[in-house]
Each structure stands twice: as structure tokens, then as C-alpha cells.
Amino acid sequence: MAVNEVYQYSLISALMDGVASNGIPISQILSHGDHGLGTFKNMVGEMIVLDGEVYQMKADGSVVHIDPSSTITPFATVTKFQATTTTKASLKDGKKDLQSLLDKLHPEARNHFLAIRMDGVFKRIEFRTAGGQCRPREGMVDVCSRQTTHTFEGERGTVVGFRCPEYAMGINVAGDHLHFISDDRQRGGHILGFETEGEVEIGVAVLSRLNLELPKGDEEFDGAKLIKDEEGIKAVEG
Amino acid sequence: MAVNEVYQYSLISALMDGVASNGIPISQILSHGDHGLGTFKNMVGEMIVLDGEVYQMKADGSVVHIDPSSTITPFATVTKFQATTTTKASLKDGKKDLQSLLDKLHPEARNHFLAIRMDGVFKRIEFRTAGGQCRPREGMVDVCSRQTTHTFEGERGTVVGFRCPEYAMGINVAGDHLHFISDDRQRGGHILGFETEGEVEIGVAVLSRLNLELPKGDEEFDGAKLIKDEEGIKAVEG
């Protein structure tokens, strides 16, 4: 795969329907990208892929550096990230300000995918971590009803994420989807809100190719009713 | 690209919104597949790709064998087709019976894509051909309101198509999407209904990877509001 293409394994709709028992080795994901996010078997924790390293951010607050050959993922989105636009900005109303900035930087890209990276200090950053399924096939809305949320202040770290176009809803999450990890790799999760401490460095790439890989020979995936639960996806991934 | 993967250029939602002025050379499409369907600049006619040959089926009933290096397409879906299941069947209630047969042959594939090929004699086959846009950005619903429909009886030929899962609606057409061309390459179009004359040969392949290429540097695509008009898509592509 070339730089700045999306590689995705499985569907957000499948996670919504609780398809998270099987997957592919993370080493296989890394052959397609060095920057991205996802989850783990049984939705235990949040995945961040940063500079080709993979971290599992768990609900108990711990962060595990993952061995990609011995760990599988039921859902991940990655790219070989090469920022085509870089800037510095102060974002007071985190996600909203980021959205406005992206619209301004890339007005031509509303029907394309964007990969995003931000490095700097965050005055306030709220994130959640999903603890995992209580039973096989438990859907994501139920899993996330038990999510742990944290707020950190003055944390230096990196945000990795994507913005997906509206028509991709169900396949992925329409809008922005951002994960955070601290510089010391001790804290992180799925971002609910943030405010930067002064300016942070922002790198963006426009992605115009989606390579979507569906699970093969996976009875759980094959048996799932993949309805597009837009409200549900917005509630747990917004 | 390996055999039995989907390669798609642009989105059905873009066609719905009348994005059909630009595109990529069909020779580029053929590097990704030898079996498929699509349309042409300004939606003039229906495209069928059969054994690597490309035909334009026009509203006046003519069929043109296309030079792939000098013709562009604003939307196409192809695969390097290698049937993994072959059978013979008599389909009285064409599309409905085909759907039941596919469900029976591949119950595990409802969340995957299918490529389909049928060869034989068709007792009755109804198809339409879109005549093209009257103006740039004219949407597909309006284009198809002027479509020409034909019914042929006792026609020998080939059906090429895909079945897409529900979650792909908007990106492509959920459900089946079939084009027909006669053995003598003189007649064909987008299939509305059919009945086979006795048994026809049917080949099917399950496709578990979608490679979606979005138009790059295309102001018409970039400016389009890609709402997912499910009813509209069903009306013109069902």
C-alpha cells in the first residue's frame, strides 16, 4: 500500500453488533500503516498506532505496549502517514475548533478521508476507555455504557485520528475519531473533548483511497446483522 | 490487485448528485479487473466489462466496443473475476430467484460482496439504457427519468454484476446490480427484470476486499453534497 491510503479491517457496524471475538494479527495491520486506531479482542481497551508502535489503553488506566505478532484486532484503521499539510494552532474548543481548522485547511476534502496528528501540551483532555465485553456479541453501545472516563490537565502527548466523510458512516465513523496517548506512554484513550495549552503542531494528510478488508471465515461476522445504527455510532464514537 | 477483490472508482452517491464530467481512463480500470460495470462521461449509456473487453450500451440501442485508452469513466466497479462457485439454474422470476439462489449458495456471504456472471438464453430480458445528462451536474434521478427501456425475447448473452451488502449503500448500490450484453454484442443495458430460457450457467465469487478510489483534483466531485439518497438509488438502480 502506498502512503496516505486508508487500510481498514472490518466495520464499525460489526463492532456495534458485538463482532469482536476474532481478528487478524496486528503485525498484518502494521504492514499497511504506521498511524491509526482501533480496538482489541472483546473490545478490551482502545488501540493507538503511533509511528508504527501499538499501544493498548485499558479502562483501569494502564497502557500496554503491544507485541504485534501475538495480538489480534477485530477492528482497526491505519495509514502510512505522511503529513501533506502542517500548521500550528491553539484549539480552545477542541473538536469543534479542529473541525473548523480542517475545513479551512482542506475545503476540497469534505468527500475524502483525512488522517490527523497533533503533538503538544493539552490544557485539558477528556477521554474514555472501553473495558471490554461482558459476553461474546455484546454490542458496543452496552460495552460503552460501562466506559471509564478520565480528564487530565497539562498533559503532553499525541493525538492520532481520522476524519471520515458522511457516506462512510456504518463502515467507519463519520466525522472525526481521535485517540490520545501521553508522551510517557502511561495514559490515553478515545478523546471526548480537549483544549490545547497554547499552540500544538498539527499534521494532516488527505486520503483518497480506502482499502477495506472484511473478515474471512469468521462466523461471528458472517452471522451479524449489520444495520447502520447512526445514532448508536454517534453516541459511542462521537 | 489480487483476483476476486472489488475495485471501485468514485461513488454511486456522486453519480446521484450528477458528478460525471470527469474521470479516469478505462485502461486504468482494466488494470484492476476484467469483469464489471459502470457508466461513461456525462452518464451516456451503460458500461459492461466482460472478459476484459469494454462495451458502451447506448439509449439508441447501439453498442460500441470501447478503446480503453481513449475513453474515461466517472464511475465503475470491477473485479478480476474467478468464479469460486458454479452452477446451472432456471430462474423464472429473474432477480428474485437469483437472490434466493445466491443466499442458498453463499449463506455466509451476506456481509460480503459477490461478483456474478450468467451465460445462457433469456426467454425475456428487460433492460434500460441511460441517455446521458442534458447539462453538467444533472442528477441520476433526472437522467434516468428519460431512460430508454427495451425487452428482448429468446436472447443469448451474458449477465455481469455484483451484489453489495446493505452497509455499502451510498458507496455502491445495496443489493444486486446487473448489466446484460447479447452474444453478438449488439444489444444490452442495465437489467430491470429477466426470465431464463431453461437453465443458464452461473458463476459466483465472494469478494471480501473493497478498494475504493476517490476522484482526485476533481472540483465537481469535491463540491458535491454526497447525501445518501437511498430511495433515489433504489429507484434508479434497483
Side-chain angles (χ1 to χ4, degrees), chain B residues 12-13 16 141 169-174 227-238:
Chain B
I12 197 77
S13 295
M16 293 299 294
V141 169
M169 189 60 148
I171 287 180
N172 204 307
V173 182
I227 55 158
K228 181 159 17 192
D229 177 7
E230 288 206 23
E231 289 313 308
I233 296 171
K234 280 180 193 159
V236 297
E237 295 287 0

Side-chain angles (χ1 to χ4, degrees), chain A residues 7 11 108 110-112 167 171 208-216 221-226 228, chain B residues 7 11 108 110-112 167 171 208-216 221-226 228:
Chain A
Y7 172 86
L11 304 163
E108 82 291 0
R110 69 171 168 177
N111 297 324
H112 298 256
Y167 60 78
I171 287 180
S208 298
R209 181 157 169 156
L210 167 66
N211 303 283
L212 174 65
E213 188 95 47
L214 303 172
K216 282 181 196 162
F221 178 83
D222 293 344
K225 282 195 177 165
L226 301 180
K228 180 159 21 191
Chain B
Y7 172 85
L11 304 163
E108 82 292 0
R110 69 170 169 178
N111 296 325
H112 298 255
Y167 61 79
I171 287 180
S208 300
R209 181 157 169 156
L210 168 66
N211 303 284
L212 173 66
E213 189 96 48
L214 303 172
K216 283 180 194 163
F221 178 83
D222 292 344
K225 282 194 179 167
L226 301 180
K228 181 159 17 192

Side-chain angles (χ1 to χ4, degrees), chain B residues 59-221:
Chain B
D60 64 5
S62 65
V63 174
V64 183
H65 191 182
I66 289 292
D67 173 1
S69 58
S70 65
T71 316
I72 64 163
T73 174
F75 176 84
T77 308
V78 294
T79 187
K80 288 181 182 163
F81 183 65
Q82 208 169 81
T84 47
T85 309
T86 55
T87 187
K88 289 184 179 188
S90 173
L91 306 169
K92 283 207 179 307
D93 190 353
K95 289 177 103 172
K96 200 174 156 197
D97 285 359
L98 177 63
Q99 202 56 47
S100 304
L101 179 71
L102 294 174
D103 287 345
K104 208 171 128 190
L105 288 173
H106 286 288
E108 82 292 0
R110 69 170 169 178
N111 296 325
H112 298 255
F113 295 76
L114 295 179
I116 303 150
R117 175 174 175 154
M118 291 193 284
D119 291 278
V121 180
F122 294 82
K123 187 173 176 183
R124 183 184 51 76
I125 190 154
E126 294 157 24
F127 49 83
R128 74 112 196 274
T129 40
Q133 290 171 308
C134 286
R135 53 173 176 78
R137 294 301 304 279
E138 186 182 32
M140 202 169 174
V141 169
D142 289 339
V143 172
C144 287
S145 69
R146 299 185 304 273
Q147 71 190 17
T148 312
T149 59
H150 303 276
T151 303
F152 285 104
E153 294 179 358
E155 194 74 37
R156 179 179 289 278
T158 301
V159 172
V160 164
F162 294 95
R163 191 183 81 181
C164 297
E166 281 299 321
Y167 61 79
M169 189 60 148
I171 287 180
N172 204 307
V173 182
D176 63 351
H177 186 184
L178 308 169
H179 286 189
F180 171 81
I181 192 162
S182 61
D183 251 20
D184 62 7
R185 310 295 185 243
Q186 298 298 310
R187 283 171 291 283
H190 170 104
I191 296 180
L192 300 173
F194 69 91
E195 180 182 347
T196 66
E197 177 83 51
E199 289 189 332
V200 295
E201 289 187 55
I202 301 171
V204 184
V206 180
L207 317 177
S208 300
R209 181 157 169 156
L210 168 66
N211 303 284
L212 173 66
E213 189 96 48
L214 303 172
K216 283 180 194 163
D218 181 340
E219 284 182 19
E220 203 175 64
F221 178 83

